[in-house]
Amino acid sequence: MEHFFSVEDLTTEELYELFEQAKLYQFNPPKIKQQIFAANLFFEPSTRTKTSFTIAEKKLGLEVLDFEAATSSLTKGESLYDTAKTMESIGANLLVVRHEDDNWMEEVKDLSIPIINAGAGKNEHPTQSLLDVFTIYEEFGDIEGLNVVFAGDIVHSRVAHSNIKLLSRLGANVFVTGAPQFIDTSIPCPYLPIDEAVEKCDVLMLLRIQHERHFKKFDESTYLEKFGLTVTREKQMKHHAIILHPAPVNRGVEIDSSLVECERSRIFKQMEYGVFIRMAMIIKKLLHWGIIHDNNIEKCKHHFGKQRIQNV
Ligand code: CP
């Protein structure tokens, strides 16, 4: 059985099917008519991803188990594998996991319940990539031929690693920019200086400096002027170009604070879309594993124009 560990676990056809489901769920959310327990095992801090999964699960009618790494038996030395195996034994039907290890998935891949990767070290963050690519798809209607620039601490960014794999497969022209020590030389994407990058891009994905993965303190005092999106640089972007950021944003470091909510920013739109993408992925996995069947899913019948249904 397949978990969702990497963007490579989805075919392109499955990806676009998922996008269609996510679009539908914005206005027509389904509800699962069966008791299903989900455990969100976040061994690293998170605001967006954890909350987004929790809302997606609750909208679908799942019961979300309480788990906080700081108050769990992790503090008594329990391993990731034993924590996950415990959840499975107790009755969780779905696990969502974030851990600092690049390859934690190897440890738990043989469990008998579906697992969704919510962040693996600097390796992969596949649901973030799905919501990023969905945001681009909603904006432009196609990915092929778009110039997408990743700007920032690429070598330490799981978001960049997942996105570069997926966007390259979908035919985007992917470029990187940033401080030389942050460029991942194993990624075969051309480098552009930031002033060229802002003029060329259709999509500019900014990334924060991942201090938690650095061995030496990085001095960020001149970073915005040298490598970030300043107000002057934003003015050089094409009329239709958009700004993305997986967040958390470090205002005034990789992006001028006044640009975080500027007209071309889709940063909060990305977060909004993340809930529907995650709903679609959860349903896909529960169906695939035979945990639910189509006849357990109640489709919302009420559709008030295009108004999103918030309280379902
Ligand atoms: N984008 C993202 O993964 O944010 P969190 O770390 O807050 O989940």
Side-chain angles (χ1 to χ4, degrees):
M1 285 290 194
E2 290 159 20
H3 303 290
F4 183 57
F5 286 161
S6 163
V7 289
E8 287 169 334
D9 295 339
L10 271 186
T11 64
T12 302
E13 196 185 348
E14 285 175 314
L15 174 84
Y16 285 114
E17 278 170 13
L18 204 78
F19 284 0
E20 289 313 309
Q21 291 302 114
K23 275 189 202 191
L24 194 68
Y25 293 173
Q26 291 181 63
F27 306 108
N28 219 357
K31 199 107 179 172
I32 297 169
K33 300 179 292 178
Q34 187 183 328
Q35 189 172 51
I36 301 288
F37 293 105
N40 300 326
L41 308 182
F42 280 67
F43 300 90
E44 264 195 347
S46 169
T47 295
R48 266 147 300 277
T49 312
K50 188 173 181 191
T51 312
S52 175
F53 267 108
T54 303
I55 291 185
E57 288 154 356
K58 290 191 172 184
K59 276 178 178 274
L60 291 171
L62 273 58
E63 299 194 36
V64 183
L65 302 175
D66 280 338
F67 178 85
E68 290 296 337
T71 53
S72 74
S73 289
L74 197 73
T75 57
K76 303 174 203 162
E78 192 160 47
S79 67
L80 162 65
Y81 173 80
D82 285 334
T83 306
K85 184 75 188 165
T86 298
M87 291 294 166
E88 176 199 57
S89 310
I90 289 170
N93 306 103
L94 169 75
L95 300 182
V96 175
V97 179
R98 169 176 289 188
H99 195 280
E100 66 180 357
D101 188 330
D102 283 1
N103 294 305
W104 59 258
M105 298 78 86
E106 274 303 303
E107 283 183 53
V108 292
K109 66 179 190 311
D110 294 327
L111 293 192
S112 62
I113 51 175
I115 304 172
I116 299 177
N117 178 359
K122 54 189 175 349
N123 179 4
E124 279 257 14
H125 192 348
T127 61
Q128 176 70 46
S129 176
L130 295 184
L131 72 91
D132 295 337
V133 177
F134 183 70
T135 307
I136 301 171
Y137 183 66
E138 284 290 87
E139 190 73 30
F140 294 98
D142 199 2
I143 306 295
E144 194 160 356
L146 289 176
N147 294 332
V148 182
V149 173
F150 287 83
D153 188 359
I154 293 155
V155 75
H156 298 110
S157 170
R158 54 191 172 215
V159 176
H161 290 132
S162 286
N163 266 319
I164 290 171
K165 279 185 216 167
L166 189 55
L167 286 163
S168 302
R169 168 161 38 120
L170 299 175
N173 307 312
V174 182
F175 302 89
V176 295
T177 187
Q181 63 269 47
F182 292 163
I183 301 304
D184 186 341
T185 50
S186 71
I187 294 174
C189 297
Y191 178 89
L192 292 173
I194 182 69
D195 290 299
E196 272 180 52
V198 291
E199 288 179 9
K200 193 174 181 76
C201 68
D202 301 299
V203 178
L204 179 63
M205 166 76 86
L206 295 161
L207 303 166
R208 75 181 170 90
I209 302 169
Q210 308 250 319
H211 292 288
E212 70 276 26
R213 302 193 205 287
H214 292 192
F215 294 112
K216 235 173 82 186
K217 178 136 181 60
F218 180 81
D219 175 12
E220 59 187 33
S221 55
T222 58
Y223 188 82
L224 181 65
E225 279 311 315
K226 283 187 182 157
F227 303 110
L229 187 64
T230 58
V231 172
T232 309
R233 288 191 181 115
E234 186 270 338
K235 290 189 188 357
Q236 302 309 311
M237 293 174 74
K238 293 179 204 167
H239 179 69
H240 66 258
I242 59 168
I243 299 164
L244 301 184
H245 194 312
V249 173
N250 287 156
R251 289 174 180 250
V253 181
E254 66 273 14
I255 180 170
D256 188 280
S257 183
S258 67
L259 299 175
V260 173
E261 293 180 70
C262 72
E263 209 170 312
R264 60 168 94 246
S265 168
R266 300 292 180 272
I267 296 173
F268 291 95
K269 195 61 151 169
Q270 288 169 266
M271 298 177 204
E272 193 181 316
Y273 285 151
V275 172
F276 306 108
I277 283 288
R278 289 174 173 128
M279 285 169 78
M281 179 50 76
I282 290 167
I283 293 239
K284 180 176 171 61
K285 287 292 130 187
L286 293 176
L287 282 170
H288 181 77
W289 283 65
I291 294 167
I292 60 167
H293 301 280
D294 263 329
N295 56 8
N296 301 121
I297 304 173
E298 183 181 279
K299 309 280 189 310
C300 181
K301 299 193 178 56
H302 304 290
H303 185 192
F304 304 101
K306 285 221 139 190
Q307 191 182 354
R308 185 166 296 141
I309 298 162
Q310 298 286 4
N311 301 312
V312 290

